[in-house]
Amino acid sequence: MMTRVLLALAVLATAFLTWGSGSPRAAFPSSLRLSELSESLQLEAHHRPQEHESQVKEFKGKILKSEGRFVLEESSNGGNYGTYLLDDQAAAKKYEGQRVLVTGTLDATHNTIHVRKIEAVA
């Protein structure tokens, strides 16, 4: 009887210690299968609000390479100027050194434009 009580206490203590440890095993129950997790994430993404068209903006400027990555050096946005990382590096490469119009959404936290389209301008 005493052995069972000690065993139960050991199991509870182990569970308590791993519960707040930040361990990946603690974050996901062992009964949760990878396929269930994938389905759950897909459902969550499906129910997430979509980008509103009002968030999509146009940025004019020149595509340059900075520290090995393509950026847009903005030349006009209502008097505001800035340099933004472009998340579609492959598309940006095609326009290196050219003046362009980039359509996309701005992630101000990371100073990145999520590119929808890049077009050369005269």
Side-chain angles (χ1 to χ4, degrees):
M1 173 84 173
M2 185 61 136
T3 305
R4 287 184 181 176
V5 170
L6 289 174
L7 180 60
L9 285 174
V11 169
L12 286 173
T14 302
F16 179 76
L17 291 173
T18 59
W19 178 61
S21 70
S23 160
R25 288 187 177 261
F28 296 104
S30 61
S31 62
L32 186 63
R33 293 188 183 133
L34 184 59
S35 62
E36 292 170 342
L37 178 61
S38 176
E39 289 173 17
S40 172
L41 291 173
Q42 288 174 358
L43 284 173
E44 181 183 320
H46 179 69
H47 292 291
R48 209 177 288 143
Q50 298 297 315
E51 287 180 335
H52 298 292
E53 287 302 314
S54 63
Q55 294 176 331
V56 176
K57 297 181 180 171
E58 292 181 340
F59 304 86
K60 290 181 184 178
K62 191 174 194 177
I63 293 184
L64 303 172
K65 201 166 199 178
S66 175
E67 297 178 13
R69 304 195 70 191
F70 292 103
V71 297
L72 176 72
E73 187 176 87
E74 191 178 31
S75 59
S76 67
N77 182 16
N80 297 326
Y81 300 94
T83 301
Y84 304 100
L85 179 64
L86 299 168
D87 73 342
D88 188 345
Q89 293 285 294
K93 182 178 183 175
K94 298 174 189 174
Y95 297 95
E96 183 177 8
Q98 296 182 40
R99 292 190 39 73
V100 296
L101 177 68
V102 176
T103 304
T105 57
L106 177 62
D107 176 353
T109 305
H110 298 100
N111 206 38
T112 301
I113 297 175
H114 297 285
V115 176
R116 286 196 172 187
K117 180 172 59 171
I118 301 176
E119 302 172 277
V121 295

